[in-house]
Amino acid sequence: QVQLVESGGGLVQAGGSLRLSCAGSGRTFSSRYVMGWFRQAPGKEREFVAAINWSGSTIYYADSVKGRFTISRYSTKNAVYLQIDSLKPEDTAVYYCAADPRLEVTDNPGNYDYWGQGTQVTVSS
């Protein structure tokens, strides 16, 4: 069993920053899992945001967030973070943490076997 719990969402003005956190736990959770962040805005499909391998040596961002989002992880604490700067109203979405037991860093949501419940980020203009 694997549990992922996100936190850190909230209401913020455009131009502000947030730091999302995801804590992984469970008997079968491994710090070697690839970890990713996805988001889903109202009326839209879930989209990839960023992903990171277990060591942090491989990181992949969606083009739409490059330069503003930073993914990192603290593997010894089974935690992954998403620093979001220069927030825009179009960043408003539910942000999900996901874990992929394979080694390849990917933007394909189908590769991620485990998902958190999500944390709401709302950006006001």
Side-chain angles (χ1 to χ4, degrees), residues 35-72:
M35 300 296 294
W37 286 96
F38 292 76
R39 65 185 180 183
Q40 187 166 18
K44 295 187 177 181
E45 293 186 353
R46 190 171 299 188
E47 66 170 347
F48 170 76
V49 174
I52 187 169
N53 71 338
W54 71 276
S55 68
S57 62
T58 302
I59 293 175
Y60 183 22
Y61 292 104
D63 288 342
S64 60
V65 306
K66 283 181 181 177
R68 297 190 300 118
F69 288 29
T70 304
I71 189 172
S72 60

Side-chain angles (χ1 to χ4, degrees), residues 11-96:
L11 173 63
V12 63
Q13 288 188 333
S17 297
L18 281 175
R19 188 187 192 218
L20 307 184
S21 301
C22 173
S25 63
R27 185 172 59 86
T28 56
F29 182 82
S30 169
S31 61
R32 288 188 170 268
Y33 286 175
V34 169
M35 300 296 294
W37 286 96
F38 292 76
R39 65 185 180 183
Q40 187 166 18
K44 295 187 177 181
E45 293 186 353
R46 190 171 299 188
E47 66 170 347
F48 170 76
V49 174
I52 187 169
N53 71 338
W54 71 276
S55 68
S57 62
T58 302
I59 293 175
Y60 183 22
Y61 292 104
D63 288 342
S64 60
V65 306
K66 283 181 181 177
R68 297 190 300 118
F69 288 29
T70 304
I71 189 172
S72 60
R73 71 186 296 170
Y74 193 173
S75 294
T76 57
K77 290 189 175 182
N78 292 336
V80 63
Y81 307 98
L82 187 69
Q83 176 70 35
I84 311 175
D85 299 317
S86 302
L87 276 157
K88 304 176 181 180
E90 51 263 43
D91 294 321
T92 295
V94 177
Y95 284 71
Y96 296 91

